[in-house]
Amino acid sequence: MKGWLLGGVLLVILSSAISAIGRADDDTCVACHEVDIDAVLALPVPEWRESVHAASGVSCDACHGGDPRVEDADASMSPEAGFMDLPSWTEMTEHCGACHEGIAESYRQGRFGAALADGIRVATCASCHMQEGHRVQEAQPGQIVTSDSCPGCPALADPQAAVALLGSAREARGRVLERLAAVEDRGIELSDYRARLQVERARLARAVHGFDDGEIARAHAASQAKVDEIAQQVSAYEGQVDRRVRFGAALLAALAAVCVCLWLMLRSLS
Amino acid sequence: MSRSRRLWQSLDRRTGLGTSIRRFAAYRVPADTGKPVSLGAVLVFALLLQLATGMLLLFHFVPDPSGAFESVRALMRDVPYGWLIRLAHAHGASFLVAIAFVHLFHAAFRGSYKDPREAVWWSGCVLFLAILASALTGYILPWSQTSFWATTVVTASLSYLPFVGQSATEWVRGGEWVGDATYRRAFAAHVALLPLALVAGVAVHLAWVRRVGLAGRPGRRADAEGPAPIPVWPRVALRAALACGVFAMALVASVVFAPNLFFPVEHALPADPFDTPLNVKPEWYFLWAYALPRFMPERLALIVQAGLLLALFALPLVDRSPRRHPRDRPYLTTVLIGVVLAFVALTIAGARA
C-alpha cells in the first residue's frame, strides 16, 4: 500500500513538473513589453507574434538592437547593449537591408532609391510592409499597390499589370510548394527544390523593388519557366510516392498472411 | 534416399549443423516462454535487420561530412529501394531501443536478474548500452542539422563532468568543436566497434541464458514450481516467429505510412554550423536526459544519470532475496514503477520543452 502511495505522489510531482517546463521561454523585451508597461508600448508584442518575423524567430533586438538576455530594462536598452530605438525614414533601407540585402540593393538601384538619395521623401520599407504595425507579413502586392495607396504611381507605367503578374507568380509557387510539402510528408526530402523556389521568389522580389515594368516582366517570365520545371520534377516524385505506398501495402499484406499462418499453426498445437 | 536428403546428411556430417538445430529444437524452456511476446527473439531479429540494412547502406553512403547528406538524399530519392533500406534502418533503430527498454524493465519486474542469472543481467545491461551508443552514433552520420546540433548538445553535456569535463568533451569530439574528427569517430564506432560488440555481446548473453536457463514467470512463493518445461520446437519457436512477424509489420507500416515519424523538420536540412535551429533536441530515447537539467543543475543531472546506470548494474547485488514475484518485493517494484513513470514523464517534458 505504501508503495502505491509513493508511486502516486511521484506521478503527481512529475506531471506538475512537465506542465511547468512546457512553457515557452520569451526574451526580456517580449516579457516586459507584454505585461509590465503601458498599453501603447505593449501594443507591438501581440502584433509581432502574428508577424512573419516571429514565425522565423526574428525578435525585437534584430531591428531595435539591445540585449534581450538582460532583465534590467535600462541595461538591456542602453547604447552599450546596441539599442537604437526607431530608425529614421532615411535610414530605413539600410536598417532593413542589414538582413534583406538583395532587396535593399535593388531598391537603391531603382527609381525610389535614386529619389531617396536625392533627399526626396518616398516610400521606404515600412511604408508598404508595416501598414499593420509590427504585424509584418510577406507583402501582398494587390493590397499594397492600390489606387488609394499609390495614386498615379510615378515609377510604374501600369502598376495593376505588375500586381497581376506578381499575384500569378505567387499562386504558381504556392501550388508547387503545397505539392512539395505533400511529397515531403511521405519521406522524400526536397529541401533543394524548396530552396530553388525561394531563389525564384527572391529573383522576382528584387525585380519588384527596382520599380521597372520591363524588368519585372522579364524576371516574371524567367521565374515562371523555372517554377514550371520544378513542378515537373515534383510530379515525378509524386509518382514515386504512389509506387512506395502500393509496395508497402503489398508487403504488409504478405507479412499479415505469414502471421495468420503462424497463428493458426500455434492454435492447432493447443 | 532423395538427392536433397543425401546432400543435407553430407552437410550435417561435415558441419554438425543438423545436430545443432535438433539440439536447439529439443532444448527445454519454461512453458510460458514467449507469452505474451517473445521480446528476446524480436530483439535478435531487429538487431540482425539493423546489421543487414546497415551493410546495404554502406554500398551507397558517403561517410564524410562533405558528402554524407547528399548521399542520404540520393539514397532516399534515386537509388532503387534505397528509401526502404534507409528508413528500415533509421526506424529500426528506434524500434530496437524501444524493445530493449521493455525487455530490460520486463526482466527487472520479473526479478530475472537473481541468482543464478546475474551474469545474464549484466551482459544484457552492457548490450542495452551498446544499443544506445549505436543509435547515438548513427544519428550523427546523415550530417543533417539535427545530427550536428544534437551531437553538439550531447557532447557538451560531458563538460559538466567534474575535473575531466573539458578534456572528455574534446576527446569525444576530437577537437574543440564538433566537426570532421567527431564524424570519423562516430562512423568508426557505428560501423565497426559497436556492431562487433553487439554481435559478441548477444552471443555471450545467449550462451549464458542457455547455461542457466530462462527464468520463466515468477510464482508467489520462492519455491513455487511452474508448469513442466517444454521443448523450443514447435510452440516456443512459433511464438517467436509470430512476434517477429508482428514486429516486421509494425516496422513496414511506420516506414511506408509514417516515414517522418522519428525525424524533426531540421533532419531534412544539411548541417550548418553557423545556423542554430530553434529547437535542438536529441532522439526520443534521450529526451529524458535532455529534460533532466531543467529540474536540477547540469552537474547534478549528470550525477543522477550516472547513478541510474550504476543502479542498473547493482540491481542483482541489492535485491538478493530468492523471491521474484513483483508483489513479494513491493519497495523495489514501486521504485521500478517510479523509474518508468519518470522516464515517460521526462520524455514528454523533453518533447514539449
Side-chain angles (χ1 to χ4, degrees):
Chain A
M1 188 60 192
K2 277 182 191 171
W4 290 110
L5 273 174
L6 189 63
V9 170
L10 201 67
L11 188 63
V12 170
I13 293 170
L14 285 167
S15 49
S16 326
I18 290 172
S19 58
I21 69 169
R23 292 195 308 258
D25 294 321
D26 289 321
D27 59 34
T28 55
C29 314
V30 173
C32 290
H33 276 264
E34 195 159 42
V35 291
D36 288 352
I37 50 178
D38 65 74
V40 175
L41 285 172
L43 200 59
V45 176
E47 290 177 354
W48 167 80
R49 283 197 192 284
E50 293 174 20
S51 72
V52 70
H53 281 156
S56 311
V58 177
S59 192
C60 317
D61 59 307
C63 300
H64 298 289
D67 189 345
R69 294 165 302 176
V70 178
E71 287 195 11
D72 179 72
D74 291 333
S76 73
M77 293 191 291
S78 66
E80 292 76 30
F83 185 67
M84 52 193 161
D85 205 357
L86 296 172
S88 71
W89 65 274
T90 49
E91 295 167 340
M92 185 67 81
T93 318
E94 299 304 319
H95 193 73
C96 301
C99 294
H100 302 277
E101 288 176 43
I103 302 287
E105 192 189 327
S106 294
Y107 180 89
R108 278 194 293 269
Q109 289 170 358
R111 296 177 186 179
F112 277 62
L116 188 69
D118 290 339
I120 302 168
R121 183 153 191 160
V122 289
T124 58
C125 315
S127 318
C128 299
H129 296 278
M130 290 189 73
Q131 288 180 349
E132 291 186 54
H134 283 76
R135 203 177 282 108
V136 180
Q137 298 296 332
E138 189 184 343
Q140 306 280 342
Q143 290 170 11
I144 291 172
V145 185
T146 63
S147 50
D148 290 338
S149 65
C150 306
C153 176
L156 296 170
D158 188 354
Q160 293 310 323
V163 167
L165 277 182
L166 294 177
S168 73
R170 185 192 174 88
E171 279 173 21
R173 278 198 314 273
R175 282 194 296 273
V176 178
L177 272 171
E178 269 177 29
R179 288 168 56 194
L180 202 140
V183 172
E184 285 192 319
D185 273 349
R186 309 307 305 171
I188 301 181
E189 189 273 308
L190 296 174
S191 62
D192 48 339
Y193 288 91
R194 203 177 279 279
R196 281 168 62 186
L197 281 173
Q198 192 66 21
V199 168
E200 294 314 316
R201 177 179 172 271
R203 181 209 297 263
L204 214 50
R206 287 189 66 151
V208 167
H209 288 84
F211 299 99
D212 180 318
D213 297 279
E215 192 53 42
I216 292 174
R218 275 191 294 280
H220 176 263
S223 167
Q224 196 54 47
K226 290 280 182 192
V227 171
D228 289 345
E229 190 185 306
I230 294 169
Q232 271 191 344
Q233 285 154 341
V234 172
S235 297
Y237 288 116
E238 285 171 335
Q240 214 182 94
V241 166
D242 289 342
R243 286 194 294 281
R244 286 182 189 190
V245 170
R246 281 200 296 274
F247 172 81
L251 192 57
L252 264 182
L255 284 168
V258 170
C259 286
V260 169
C261 288
L262 288 168
W263 182 70
L264 289 173
M265 283 166 77
L266 261 172
R267 269 183 66 101
S268 72
L269 290 175
S270 51
Chain B
M1 189 185 290
S2 69
R3 183 178 289 181
S4 59
R5 190 162 179 78
R6 278 205 307 278
L7 188 69
W8 172 246
Q9 282 189 346
S10 163
L11 189 72
D12 185 24
R13 192 158 56 84
R14 284 166 178 81
T15 62
L17 190 64
T19 315
S20 302
I21 293 172
R22 276 193 296 278
R23 270 193 201 153
F24 176 70
Y27 179 72
R28 300 182 85 79
V29 293
D32 62 337
T33 301
K35 266 185 173 179
V37 181
S38 306
L39 288 169
V42 175
L43 265 179
V44 173
F45 178 66
L47 199 60
L48 290 174
L49 204 63
Q50 288 302 100
L51 289 173
T53 50
M55 279 183 219
L56 288 172
L57 285 177
L58 282 176
F59 283 98
H60 286 280
F61 179 65
V62 178
D64 186 90
S66 60
F69 188 83
E70 285 301 322
S71 70
V72 172
R73 179 186 273 166
L75 258 162
M76 291 295 290
R77 295 202 314 210
D78 308 323
V79 178
Y81 295 99
W83 64 274
L84 184 66
I85 297 163
R86 193 253 166 163
L87 288 178
H89 194 72
H91 285 221
S94 275
F95 275 86
L96 186 67
V97 172
I99 299 163
F101 265 121
V102 179
H103 189 46
L104 190 82
F105 279 100
H106 184 244
F109 276 109
R110 277 188 156 195
S112 302
Y113 49 79
K114 296 194 176 202
D115 185 26
R117 298 184 181 83
E118 294 94 332
V120 174
W121 171 259
W122 286 322
S123 62
C125 291
V126 171
L127 277 172
F128 178 66
L129 294 181
I131 287 171
L132 286 181
S134 292
L136 183 68
T137 50
Y139 199 61
I140 301 169
L141 299 185
W143 209 238
S144 66
Q145 273 289 69
T146 39
S147 304
F148 181 86
W149 289 103
T151 307
T152 301
V153 171
V154 169
T155 50
S157 66
L158 287 174
S159 64
Y160 293 100
L161 282 173
F163 309 115
V164 294
Q166 194 56 37
S167 49
T169 305
E170 287 186 15
W171 183 76
V172 169
R173 287 179 175 175
E176 198 175 344
W177 311 106
V178 170
D180 286 12
T182 323
Y183 191 89
R184 280 194 294 276
R185 279 155 199 244
F187 180 71
H190 190 76
V191 305
L193 192 66
L194 288 166
L196 198 67
L198 280 168
V199 170
V202 168
V204 168
H205 188 69
L206 292 180
W208 286 346
V209 167
R210 190 169 184 276
R211 182 177 173 78
V212 295
L214 287 169
R217 186 173 293 174
R220 282 309 303 270
R221 288 180 295 117
D223 57 347
E225 283 188 18
I230 57 171
V232 166
W233 180 260
R235 201 178 296 267
V236 177
L238 284 175
R239 279 180 200 151
L242 181 58
C244 292
V246 172
F247 161 76
M249 281 179 69
L251 184 61
V252 169
S254 79
V255 162
V256 176
F257 300 109
N260 295 331
L261 184 63
F262 300 109
F263 305 134
V265 180
E266 289 83 6
H267 208 64
L269 299 171
D272 183 354
F274 300 107
D275 178 19
T276 316
L278 287 177
N279 292 306
V280 184
K281 283 180 190 172
E283 281 205 279
W284 67 267
Y285 37 83
F286 288 123
L287 281 175
W288 67 276
Y290 166 77
L292 210 53
R294 288 170 180 261
F295 295 101
M296 57 186 77
E298 290 265 9
R299 192 158 287 179
L300 184 61
L302 214 59
I303 292 168
V304 169
Q305 289 172 42
L308 274 172
L309 201 65
L310 278 176
L312 204 64
F313 278 89
L315 209 51
L317 307 175
V318 175
D319 180 21
R320 297 173 68 87
S321 84
R323 290 177 178 272
R324 293 203 295 121
H325 198 282
R327 285 191 191 170
D328 291 338
R329 325 172 271 147
Y331 288 108
L332 197 72
T333 303
T334 308
V335 170
L336 282 171
I337 291 171
V339 169
V340 173
L341 287 176
F343 173 79
V344 173
L346 285 168
T347 300
I348 296 169
R352 289 179 59 185

